[in-house]
Structure formats: C-alpha cells, structure tokens
Amino acid sequence: MEEQNPFKNAQKQLDDAAEIMNLDRHAHALLREPMQTVTVNFPVRMKDNTTKTFTGFRVMYNNARGPGKGGIRFHPHEDLDTVKALSAWMTWKCSLANIPFGGAKGGVICDTKSMNDFELEALSRQYIRSIAGFIGPKTDIPAPDVYTTPQIMAWMMDEYSKIKGHNEFGVITGKPLETWGSEGRSDSTAMGAMYVLREAAKMKKLNLRKAKIAIQGFGNAGSFAFELATKLFGSKIVAISDSRGGVYLESGLDFNKLKDVKERTGNLESYKGAQKITNEQLLELDVDVLIPAAIENQVTKSNADKVNASILLELANGPVTPDADGILAQNGVFDLPDFLVNSGGVIGSYFEWAQNTQNYYWTKDEVYQKLDTIITKSFKDVIATQKQYAEKGKKINTRMAAYIIAVGRVAAAMKARGWY
Ligand code: NAD
C-alpha cells in the first residue's frame, strides 16, 4: 500500500510543512528527493570459505548545511526507500538541532543474528570499501543504528583509515572510547530527552520530583531514560515494559532491582510486588509523563484518546502516527516530537566528530553542558515558532513547528548558495 512506504510518508510530511510555511516551489522540489543515492553489491568471504553477495545502500539526502550524517543499519528487511526516508528525517533532525550537518543514512541487507563475529567484521569492512568514495569526515559521516555497534564502527573506521593511508577517526561516530569515541555519547540520546522534559515540565508547571512516569521499552534509550529521570529529577517510574510486556508499581520501581530481574530472568515480570501489564495498558496509564522508547506506531488513532499523560515525550522514532496527532492535541496532551526529543544522539555524534577533527577531547561534564545548551535552544525554537504561527491565526502542533524550522533552515542555506 502506498501509505506504508516510509519515503512517501517522509515526502508527505515535507509537503504538509511546505504548504503551511509557503515554501518556494523550487526549494520544495529539491527537498523532495535525495541528492545522492548509492547501491552497492559486494562479496563477503564467509567462515565456511564460500562467498556470499550482499547489497548495501548509502543515501546522502542533502548537504546544503554540511556533510551528510546518519547511521548504518544491518537488517534483513532493509530497503532503499526506508534508507531514503531515514536520510530525509536525519536532514531535518540535524537542521532543527542547528548542527553543521546535512542528512544521510545507510544500510546493508543482512541477518546479523545468523552471522558470527568473523563474518560481521568481513561484511563491515567490505561495505566500507564499497562506499569509501562517498563517505569521509568532510563529505558524509556514518554512525551506529539498528544492529550495528561501537565495535562495528571501530572496524569501519579502521578499514577507511587503511584505504586513506592514515588514521581518519572523524569518518565515523559512535566509536568505542579506545578509538576516540566521545565521553557521554552512550547516554546522550536519553540525556537530551531529559533536558527537553525539564523544559516541558517548567512550561506546564509540572513538578518532576512528584511526577509519575511510564516508559515503554527497556533497551538503550528506555533504560537510560529510567536511570536519568530518577537520578536528575527524583521522579517516580511507575511502569516499564519490553517486547514481552511490562510491570506497574504505584510506589515506583527501583532501577537496580529491575536491571537485576531482567538479567536473571530475561523478563521484567518477575519484579517482586509489581503488577503485570501489557504494552497497550502501559500507554493508557494515569501518569504525568509517558515516554515511548521502543518502536514506531504505538500511539495511533485507535488509542490516542486513551492517553492520560499530560506530557508525551517521543524518545523512540515514530511512536505516534500522524492520525493520532490531532486527537492528542484536542485532549491537551503536550506531545514532543521524536526528532526534537531524541536528537541528543546525533548531537553527541556531532561532538565526537568535532573532537576527532580538532584532536582535542572534552570531559563528560563539558559534553553534557554543551548538549543541554543545544537541545534546550531547539525546544525553545519550537515553542516560539508555534506561538508565532498561533499569532498569525494558524494553529500548528510541535511536530509541524519543528518541521517548519528544520525545512526553513535547509531551504535558506540552499538559497544562499544559489541552488534556487
Ligand atoms: P533497543 O533495541 O536497545 O531497545 C528497544 C526496546 O524496545 C527493548 O526493550 C525491546 O524489548 C522493546 N520492544 C521491542 N518491541 C517492542 C514492542 N512491540 N512493544 C514494546 N516494547 C518493545 O533500541 P534503542 O536503541 O533503545 O531504541 C529505541 C527507540 O529509540 C527506537 O525507535 C530508536 O530508533 C530510537 N532512538 C534510539 C537512539 C539511541 O541512541 N539508542 C537514538 C535515537 C533514536
């Protein structure tokens, strides 16, 4: 079905923003398609000495504001249209954060679960050899994404450095600290989301010390969000879930106990004294803050009406469907869009790249403080844009306000460069 195509969705979102902001039609046409799309087919020698051919992609969507930036996914169902959509969204995310990057994304069709480390390393190196002419610290800088890890980033950086004949640490971000990754990069996504939550709570006059929070997902993003919300604000996390379901405890869950239960039993449900809940029930709990931090399409037109939280912090990518937006707004839910809330990840990557290119390294505190400055400014820009449009009689949600800022900045850069 056409609306299932992620790239068509990304184009539709751009079209909607273009209409509201009255975007120049030449700029609009340029921004509807990626500037560069690369498909590569390459051989990998497998452990049993056979050779297998893999297909990979690298899409550089737009570089008017700086080199391409975006992760690499290793996924059995990867396809070009998904990579194109993700590269468009990276363009808007980098622009909203006002960091000097365009947007890009890459991927390889493969099933990492059926591969051993030997094959994974060979695949990572061959993919980089195939796209080496299209990436670089000044052209396009990849990072980890679904099923790619800091170790894979280190192999890729090493392969690229060998091709160039010198170390190029700045070609890739999300590397381990040993190969000049950045302090604070591992939890920068969740930390950024906490700064956004702090500002949203101030605006809504919500005391986070007394707030009840529910988090969907206990992976990288969700578990750091849990830990940080309790540590920074003293909030109570009353519910959490993973793909198998979740737990609810009115008096608040304990992070270390939960981690221990998950490690020992493989699920969250064995947490003593907590009530079992489904992922659907979690979304409908009577809490102050709801943080979807798992997968896309969780709040839809069929359950948006049942969201009881006053703040919805979209830590996952795409957790709220477009048809749920209006319902949430009508019910007074303050919904903060994914490409603002989770932009701490790419901002952390920007810091890593900036440190690599200067060969000068920062402390964790410096990283957090700079992250706070950038993401808090993004939040304030979104709220100010929403207000400006309201004053002109146009009611827009925070997602549209974020789009208007992001698309406007890229269009302005293209105009200044004489592209239209
Ligand atoms: P992850 O794989 O570490 O964790 C995902 C979590 O979601 C797991 O706990 C998993 O059990 C749970 N989950 C899977 N299917 C589920 C379902 N049907 N219902 C409920 N829970 C389910 O992934 P992550 O890195 O934490 O990413 C989570 C989301 O955040 C994704 O949308 C990702 O794109 C987004 N994000 C993450 C980062 C980052 O730095 N990790 C950056 C930007 C955006």
Side-chain angles (χ1 to χ4, degrees):
M1 264 186 348
E2 196 168 84
E3 57 274 22
Q4 301 264 324
N5 179 316
F7 186 54
K8 296 253 183 276
N9 284 346
Q11 286 183 315
K12 167 83 171 63
Q13 288 163 342
L14 171 70
D15 295 346
D16 290 346
E19 194 183 326
I20 293 175
M21 66 195 285
N22 219 349
L23 182 67
D24 177 277
R25 70 191 165 88
H26 302 290
H28 187 185
L30 270 166
L31 290 175
R32 283 193 102 241
E33 296 290 338
M35 290 173 64
Q36 179 181 277
T37 302
V38 178
T39 300
V40 290
N41 294 294
F42 54 91
V44 176
R45 182 66 56 87
M46 307 303 276
K47 193 78 191 218
D48 62 5
N49 217 20
T50 58
T51 302
K52 221 170 141 181
T53 301
F54 288 88
T55 300
F57 313 101
R58 185 72 193 170
V59 176
M60 202 280 298
Y61 199 80
N62 187 288
N63 65 1
R65 287 173 44 89
K69 184 89 197 80
I72 294 169
R73 286 188 169 187
F74 283 178
H75 200 277
H77 304 303
E78 195 62 302
D79 68 73
L80 187 55
D81 272 348
T82 306
V83 180
K84 280 161 69 173
L86 291 164
S87 71
W89 290 324
M90 280 308 296
T91 311
W92 314 137
K93 197 184 285 192
C94 293
S95 177
L96 178 67
N98 210 5
I99 56 177
F101 291 131
K105 204 79 184 189
V108 177
I109 306 171
C110 64
D111 180 10
T112 53
K113 287 184 183 152
S114 68
M115 297 168 80
N116 58 36
D117 270 3
F118 174 91
E119 292 167 338
L120 207 52
E121 179 175 352
L123 174 91
S124 305
R125 290 184 183 275
Q126 281 286 36
Y127 172 61
I128 286 301
R129 279 209 282 280
S130 305
I131 62 162
F134 302 97
I135 59 169
K138 290 183 180 166
T139 44
D140 181 358
I141 304 123
D145 202 271
V146 176
Y147 296 134
T148 51
T149 59
Q151 172 62 74
I152 290 175
M153 298 304 109
W155 289 328
M156 289 180 167
M157 177 280 295
D158 183 68
E159 192 61 31
Y160 186 83
S161 297
K162 281 181 177 151
I163 294 167
K164 292 289 158 188
H166 57 261
N167 280 329
E168 277 287 17
F169 294 112
V171 67
I172 262 176
T173 58
K175 302 181 294 295
L177 281 174
E178 295 77 11
T179 50
W180 302 110
S182 175
E183 290 288 351
R185 169 70 179 85
S186 56
D187 64 358
S188 62
T189 305
M191 188 58 107
M194 292 303 113
Y195 295 137
V196 173
L197 176 57
R198 181 195 61 203
E199 294 305 310
K202 252 190 249 169
M203 213 179 126
K204 293 287 159 190
K205 301 199 173 17
L206 171 71
N207 181 353
L208 283 172
R209 266 184 75 78
K210 292 190 181 150
K212 286 193 286 181
I213 300 181
I215 304 176
Q216 185 191 48
F218 194 56
N220 183 300
S223 61
F224 276 123
F226 187 133
E227 203 179 4
L228 292 171
T230 39
K231 203 166 96 185
L232 298 176
F233 311 128
S235 309
K236 235 189 253 173
I237 314 298
V238 294
I240 185 110
S241 65
D242 63 14
S243 55
R244 302 176 197 203
V247 281
Y248 173 79
L249 186 63
E250 173 79 43
S251 58
L253 297 153
D254 178 86
F255 181 74
N256 290 324
K257 256 202 229 169
L258 196 73
K259 227 173 107 188
D260 180 57
V261 165
K262 172 88 182 175
E263 268 163 25
R264 272 190 301 108
T265 65
N267 62 57
L268 303 167
E269 292 163 9
S270 317
Y271 191 104
K272 259 203 189 126
Q275 181 191 331
K276 276 188 208 172
I277 51 167
T278 63
N279 265 298
E280 293 72 35
Q281 287 170 325
L282 181 139
L283 300 169
E284 298 166 11
L285 286 172
D286 185 10
V287 288
D288 301 295
V289 183
L290 174 64
I291 309 183
I295 50 167
E296 60 281 2
N297 302 337
Q298 293 304 292
V299 177
T300 65
K301 72 169 183 230
S302 52
N303 65 354
D305 227 0
K306 299 181 190 138
V307 169
N308 273 304
S310 46
I311 295 177
L312 201 165
L313 195 70
E314 297 181 18
L315 188 51
N317 276 314
V320 175
T321 57
D323 51 16
D325 271 346
I327 304 170
L328 292 172
Q330 227 169 33
N331 293 348
V333 179
F334 189 29
D335 177 21
L336 292 152
D338 50 3
F339 72 106
L340 164 67
V341 173
N342 67 34
S343 63
V346 76
I347 297 169
S349 269
Y350 163 48
F351 294 157
E352 183 175 334
W353 172 84
Q355 292 168 81
N356 290 154
T357 49
Q358 294 172 72
N359 251 324
Y360 177 65
Y361 289 85
W362 312 339
T363 63
K364 207 182 233 186
D365 281 348
E366 283 176 277
V367 167
Y368 290 150
Q369 185 237 317
K370 288 178 189 349
L371 170 61
D372 189 357
T373 306
I374 291 182
I375 207 161
T376 299
K377 168 88 170 51
S378 298
F379 173 86
K380 289 183 175 164
D381 287 347
V382 167
I383 301 304
T385 301
Q386 202 181 20
K387 207 168 147 222
Q388 274 165 20
Y389 274 77
E391 280 161 8
K392 288 190 273 181
K394 282 188 190 173
K395 213 167 172 227
I396 57 170
N397 62 15
T398 50
R399 194 182 320 280
M400 187 48 67
Y403 256 99
I404 288 171
I405 297 167
V407 171
R409 285 186 183 145
V410 180
M414 296 197 307
K415 177 81 182 161
R417 294 176 70 135
W419 292 5
Y420 72 94

